[in-house]
Amino acid sequence: MNQDEVSFTDLIASSVHDMKNSLNVQIDTLENVATALHERGDGESAATLGAVIYQANRMNVDLIQLLSLYKLGNSLYPLDIAENSVAEMFDELLSQNGSAMELKGIRISTDCPDDCYWYFDRDLIMGVLLNALNNAYNYTKDEIRLVARINNGALELRVEDNGRGYPPSMLTDDLTAENKGVSFLSGSTGLGFYFSSRVARIHKNGERCGSLAIENGGTFGGGCFVVRIP
Amino acid sequence: MQLTKPPPPLFLDLLKNATVLVVDDYQGMRTMLRNVVKEMGIARVDTANSGKDALHLLSQGKYDLVLCDYNLGPGQNGQQVLEEARLNKYIGLACIWIMVSAEKSSEMVLGAVEVKPDDYLFKPINQAMLETRLQRLVTRKKVMAEIGAAVEEENYLKAIALCDQRLQEGNTQPQELLRIKSQLLMTIGAFDGAQAVFETVLKERNVPWARVGMGKVQFAARDYASARMTFESVLEENRMYMEAADWLARTLDAMGEGEQAQKILEDAARRSPNSAARQKSLAETAYRNGALDVAQAAFEKTIKVSEFSSHKNPAAFTGLAKVLSDQENPERALRVLDQSRKEFPNNPEAAIQMAAAESMVYKNMGDTAKAEAAMAVAEQVMSQLEGKVSAEVAMDMAKSYFKLDKKDRAAELLGNVIKNNHENIELSRQVEGIFEREQMGEAGQELIEKARQEVFGINNEGVRLANAGKFKEGVELLRKAVHELPTNQVIILNLAGLLIAQMSREGKDNAIAAEVRLLIDQAVRINAANKKIHEYSAVLDRLMKAA
């Protein structure tokens, strides 16, 4: 077979898939080690390992986003916009991320009515919130809050922290990768924002489509990451 | 990982005594899943390494939770195991079925599958994930359990009332409840009510299930042009929404556009090849269109897909045999019928269909004696059934008689099909098609019209007698008609209605009530989607409870 026939994107996608699987095995093992350390009373090592787990989770989120974007771009993603319970999704996010937060001494809380149901692709929106949680983990002082509200016929999901907030340069209305300055130097790849805005936009109801915003303020006066889904 | 161990969640108490089955073809995954379940404090966990193994265990009917891998290697996949377990009632409505998979596929999320698991879980799986999901599913099951029980005992009116009650309480997925309610309304033939539900949902959001529902309502009202547009527009947005494709094909068939229907079904079968019902419709449509190669492949696939399932249908075998016979391969056709006899040992309707198909094959081979002998066998079995055979079986026999040039018997059988289904337009059209293929279109139309008028006449006379207060005479007339036309639902239900009217006028009577119950059962067996069945059974209950 002619090597030119292999698409580089396809090759990357299949490698990403493979990396993601390996990484998941690593995370699972690391979590078991951290629990063991904690139970043995070695809090310091457990906390160090917690930071490693955080980095591994970040990589995992990146890989999932890359893979989803690849599938969305090639019409391979089985988009499943269905009725979901937002409270249940929050619970699942906490059960997946609670331990890493706790290791860093971050309090995480949710504010969502029990009977809050909305139409969205659960896996994609989970990916968006995971990305926002990872950012908040990085920039918060010690508090993160997940909020859900139904406002003007749209579901508003907020991830709020009590850090210093976003720098003014980032607070523009148009949240696309170009405007967020994809840069290998600053370490800001723009992937998270690109992914999130893409996901928000494919959530449509009639003429309206979803949107993304970042702002400062909220309950704690820190950074707020906001997704609106019609 | 939990650092500060929270108190065990409440739901685990409910599951503590559960019996769990883990199905996976990989030893490593089986052990991992079993350990996760055991960690949660559940003691009774069985494992199976194949679909066959799993079904054997499931047939004992004792599992509350099933964790099943989607990909089980050779043999059945997880979806097929689930379908067979549901079909055979190995698992009740209370059983939670979680399908485990490496990744989400479009077959899972769109309307490609009819029987769905309670949830999908994507690898990698950890304990925290399984626990949160289970908590949610246990709660949901509890809410739905009562509705499910009412459905299981075919008390659809009660199930609908429960849906309304849950909707008012407002703590479950409202759209899911509306979807279930609309399905129930369609089941009992309350198309207006179902349409109202679909319209309410569509006002808020353009969801495909509600649009397909609107299409089905249009189909039921025989507004085929609108139904076609509806199904086409759903498919345009979502090529994988298989239910819309199946209904579009059905609509096109009803409109007489067989070629188009075949195209749609071929496309759907390519995208989602493992539905036996879809393969069978494709095969039958292609056979009618004379596309023998397509028909052969689709009949073979139908047989293959349902090989392990109790959903096996003799018509797939007889259909394949007829295709092979038309392709001048009679030896293989006879072998298929031999195989089919082994597959359906105690099924008299199947025996008739096989004999009729065999007769056709022999006639094609030029062996009239053997062809006639086969029909003699068919007649014998039919007389054992006192003539109570489905329209499909009767039409199969008629086709074979035409082949043998025994037109009188063929016409008699087809006339009975019409008399037993005098209001069924689709069936009339099929019978007309059979006559047309015999170059007897005009005679066929005449026969159909005469048969329908005869039944309409009896029916009207019964109603007239009842309106004149002559219940006894009306009842006698309709009883005789029911005896002669044991599968005519309209007459059966009119007799039931007449008896109920008589009781409400003359006082209740246990013998008559019993007769009405039998008539209602008879009607349910023909087709439960008739509003009258459920209305009459509710009226009868009220009447018998009243002092």
Side-chain angles (χ1 to χ4, degrees):
Chain A
M1 180 169 138
N2 186 345
Q3 279 211 334
D4 294 342
E5 284 175 16
V6 181
S7 139
F8 186 59
T9 342
D10 290 351
L11 202 60
I12 289 188
S14 64
S15 311
V16 164
H17 190 84
D18 195 44
M19 285 192 269
K20 184 173 76 80
N21 287 341
S22 293
L23 194 60
N24 276 307
V25 177
Q26 287 183 38
I27 293 174
D28 193 49
T29 316
L30 287 174
E31 290 204 331
N32 288 337
V33 175
T35 313
L37 285 173
H38 200 269
E39 277 167 5
R40 225 184 288 156
D42 188 351
E44 202 180 323
S45 304
T48 314
L49 206 50
V52 177
I53 293 172
Y54 161 75
Q55 292 296 340
N57 272 330
R58 245 179 52 112
M59 269 167 69
N60 191 32
V61 170
D62 280 358
L63 295 179
I64 291 173
Q65 290 178 354
L66 281 174
L67 215 52
S68 305
L69 284 171
Y70 168 78
K71 288 183 178 174
L72 284 170
N74 290 284
S75 308
L76 292 170
Y77 188 87
L79 188 65
D80 180 22
I81 297 187
E83 186 182 42
N84 282 291
S85 158
V86 179
E88 282 168 8
M89 179 173 67
F90 281 0
D91 281 349
E92 202 158 320
L93 279 168
L94 289 198
S95 78
Q96 281 174 29
N97 292 272
S99 58
M101 299 283 178
E102 217 174 314
L103 284 165
K104 205 190 167 192
I106 298 170
R107 280 188 302 279
I108 179 160
S109 59
T110 59
D111 179 2
C112 169
D114 270 347
D115 61 351
C116 182
Y117 293 91
W118 205 253
Y119 268 86
F120 52 87
D121 183 298
R122 197 185 145 93
D123 298 304
L124 288 181
I125 294 298
M126 288 262 284
V128 168
L129 292 177
L130 267 176
N131 172 65
L133 275 177
N134 274 332
N135 279 334
Y137 173 96
N138 240 351
Y139 295 110
T140 188
K141 202 158 104 264
D142 55 8
E143 197 112 46
I144 296 175
R145 209 166 88 107
L146 285 167
V147 189
R149 290 274 176 277
I150 290 168
N151 242 340
N152 293 326
L155 171 71
E156 186 179 298
L157 298 168
R158 306 175 64 91
V159 180
E160 304 179 339
D161 65 56
N162 66 347
R164 278 181 307 166
Y166 292 95
S169 64
M170 285 189 78
L171 297 174
T172 62
D173 290 334
D174 190 13
L175 274 174
T176 52
E178 305 90 76
N179 292 338
K180 288 296 140 235
V182 176
S183 157
F184 286 112
L185 290 175
S186 70
S188 160
T189 60
L191 173 64
F193 279 122
Y194 179 69
F195 171 79
S196 301
S197 68
R198 181 83 197 263
V199 167
R201 271 184 287 130
I202 57 174
H203 281 84
K204 290 189 188 121
N205 185 10
E207 300 293 298
R208 304 165 69 195
C209 72
S211 66
L212 198 64
I214 54 172
E215 53 195 56
N216 292 327
T219 323
F220 307 125
C224 309
F225 178 97
V226 191
V227 204
R228 289 189 184 90
I229 310 164
Chain B
M1 182 180 65
Q2 288 290 344
L3 293 180
T4 44
K5 283 241 182 262
L10 244 171
F11 80 96
L12 280 183
D13 286 346
L14 288 167
L15 272 180
K16 206 169 51 196
N17 296 317
T19 308
V20 181
L21 177 64
V22 168
V23 190
D24 203 304
D25 56 334
Y26 283 106
Q27 166 74 42
M29 199 62 196
R30 272 204 306 280
T31 315
M32 199 283 259
L33 285 172
R34 193 184 55 201
N35 289 345
V36 168
V37 174
K38 291 223 160 187
E39 273 292 304
M40 291 166 52
I42 301 174
R44 277 174 294 179
V45 187
D46 293 337
T47 58
N49 60 18
S50 70
K52 206 175 150 204
D53 204 12
L55 282 168
H56 175 69
L57 287 169
L58 284 163
S59 68
Q60 299 165 14
K62 61 175 184 183
Y63 293 102
D64 307 297
L65 168 64
V66 181
L67 296 172
C68 180
D69 197 77
Y70 185 79
N71 209 329
L72 294 172
Q76 292 150 292
N77 66 28
Q79 175 64 29
Q80 289 166 316
V81 175
L82 166 63
E83 281 171 17
E84 197 169 339
R86 280 268 158 86
L87 192 73
N88 291 324
K89 298 197 171 21
Y90 293 163
I91 50 170
L93 291 160
C95 173
I96 297 175
W97 189 292
I98 298 182
M99 203 71 87
V100 179
S101 174
E103 61 182 339
K104 188 149 90 176
S105 78
S106 36
E107 288 214 357
M108 292 172 188
V109 301
L110 301 169
V113 292
E114 284 84 32
V115 182
K116 293 197 178 199
D118 294 293
D119 207 353
Y120 289 98
L121 215 49
F122 300 105
K123 294 174 193 172
I125 293 160
N126 60 38
Q127 192 177 332
M129 202 164 143
L130 186 61
E131 276 185 22
T132 22
R133 288 292 175 95
L134 273 180
Q135 177 159 26
R136 178 201 321 170
L137 292 171
V138 169
T139 321
R140 188 158 303 157
K141 276 279 164 175
K142 254 171 61 187
V143 174
M144 297 293 178
E146 249 184 297
I147 299 174
V151 173
E152 232 165 43
E153 60 194 40
E154 290 179 358
N155 193 342
Y156 300 113
L157 294 179
K158 183 178 163 196
I160 291 167
L162 284 166
C163 284
D164 286 333
Q165 197 184 323
R166 298 275 184 265
L167 278 164
Q168 265 182 357
E169 288 161 9
N171 45 17
T172 336
Q173 289 171 297
Q175 298 274 329
E176 181 62 14
L177 279 170
L178 286 171
R179 199 178 61 82
I180 292 171
K181 182 182 166 183
S182 71
Q183 269 178 356
L184 290 166
L185 288 166
M186 295 291 284
T187 306
I188 63 165
F191 300 113
D192 293 352
Q195 181 173 352
V197 175
F198 297 136
E199 279 167 355
T200 315
V201 172
L202 288 172
K203 219 160 46 193
E204 295 292 319
R205 190 176 290 269
N206 202 4
V207 282
W209 66 261
R211 283 163 72 205
V212 169
M214 284 299 281
K216 289 190 219 169
V217 171
Q218 290 157 344
F219 182 93
R222 304 206 178 95
D223 181 0
Y224 299 128
S226 304
R228 175 185 189 165
M229 278 202 309
T230 307
F231 296 133
E232 276 175 348
S233 77
V234 174
L235 274 176
E236 230 158 76
E237 279 169 39
N238 224 331
R239 283 257 78 111
M240 285 301 291
Y241 207 91
M242 291 302 140
E243 202 191 355
D246 293 340
W247 275 92
L248 176 57
R250 220 174 134 177
T251 309
L252 290 165
D253 230 358
M255 295 170 92
E257 298 193 26
E259 306 272 338
Q260 270 302 106
Q262 183 184 333
K263 246 196 215 153
I264 297 293
L265 286 169
E266 277 182 88
D267 183 63
R270 242 195 317 276
R271 287 168 200 277
S272 175
N274 287 323
S275 154
R278 181 171 309 125
Q279 293 288 354
K280 185 165 168 273
S281 335
L282 170 57
E284 285 164 350
T285 310
Y287 186 51
R288 277 199 296 274
N289 293 342
L292 294 181
D293 288 345
V294 178
Q296 183 190 341
F299 274 129
E300 283 170 348
K301 183 81 183 163
T302 312
I303 293 169
K304 190 161 180 288
V305 173
S306 48
E307 186 183 351
F308 300 103
S309 145
S310 45
H311 219 32
K312 277 187 299 203
N313 190 324
F317 289 86
T318 53
L320 178 58
K322 285 183 206 169
V323 173
L324 289 167
S325 169
D326 284 3
Q327 286 173 325
E328 288 168 37
N329 194 347
E331 292 81 14
R332 241 199 94 197
L334 291 173
R335 275 205 304 281
V336 166
L337 290 173
D338 273 344
Q339 185 201 342
S340 154
R341 281 204 184 83
K342 286 183 204 118
E343 302 270 354
F344 305 94
N346 299 310
N347 183 337
E349 286 217 333
I352 298 175
Q353 282 178 289
M354 284 179 264
E358 196 180 46
S359 165
M360 256 198 200
V361 178
Y362 280 127
K363 182 68 195 171
N364 267 351
M365 292 167 82
D367 192 337
T368 308
K370 276 190 175 168
E372 284 181 354
M375 287 319 287
V377 171
E379 287 290 352
Q380 199 195 340
V381 182
M382 186 164 170
S383 69
Q384 281 163 13
L385 293 174
E386 292 168 353
K388 283 186 208 169
V389 295
S390 70
E392 190 187 27
V393 172
M395 287 192 291
D396 273 2
M397 283 179 73
K399 286 180 209 161
S400 297
Y401 275 123
F402 273 129
K403 192 101 197 166
L404 286 169
D405 211 28
K406 301 201 166 173
K407 290 184 182 138
D408 289 350
R409 179 63 181 144
E412 188 186 354
L413 283 161
L414 293 176
N416 272 330
V417 168
I418 296 297
K419 283 185 205 165
N420 272 306
N421 304 276
H422 69 287
E423 287 189 345
N424 188 329
I425 305 282
E426 282 83 34
L427 213 55
S428 295
R429 189 166 291 150
Q430 284 181 40
V431 170
E432 226 179 290
I434 296 174
F435 278 112
E436 273 164 16
R437 274 190 288 280
E438 300 300 327
Q439 320 295 333
M440 294 174 61
E442 223 166 283
Q445 269 174 15
E446 215 170 283
L447 179 131
I448 290 170
E449 200 39 43
K450 211 177 126 222
R452 294 185 62 195
Q453 288 313 326
E454 187 184 322
V455 182
F456 275 125
I458 297 171
N459 204 23
N460 291 344
E461 178 65 8
V463 174
R464 192 190 63 78
L465 287 167
N467 286 342
K470 296 179 180 166
F471 289 113
K472 283 231 157 53
E473 288 91 335
V475 164
E476 276 323 305
L477 182 75
L478 290 187
R479 267 192 194 134
K480 198 166 145 263
V482 168
H483 182 73
E484 275 163 24
L485 305 169
T487 60
N488 188 312
Q489 199 185 33
V490 178
I491 300 218
I492 290 169
L493 285 172
N494 278 344
L495 176 54
L498 199 52
L499 289 167
I500 288 176
Q502 186 185 357
M503 274 199 289
S504 51
R505 186 83 58 92
E506 297 169 4
K508 61 182 179 184
D509 177 316
N510 285 330
I512 292 181
E515 185 182 352
V516 173
R517 287 220 172 80
L518 280 176
L519 289 166
I520 288 176
D521 284 349
Q522 207 172 335
V524 168
R525 274 198 301 278
I526 297 163
N527 176 14
N530 189 321
K531 216 156 100 181
K532 271 191 183 166
I533 294 179
H534 307 277
E535 283 169 5
Y536 286 170
S537 106
V539 172
L540 181 67
D541 284 347
R542 262 205 309 279
L543 206 65
M544 296 311 285
K545 264 183 213 151

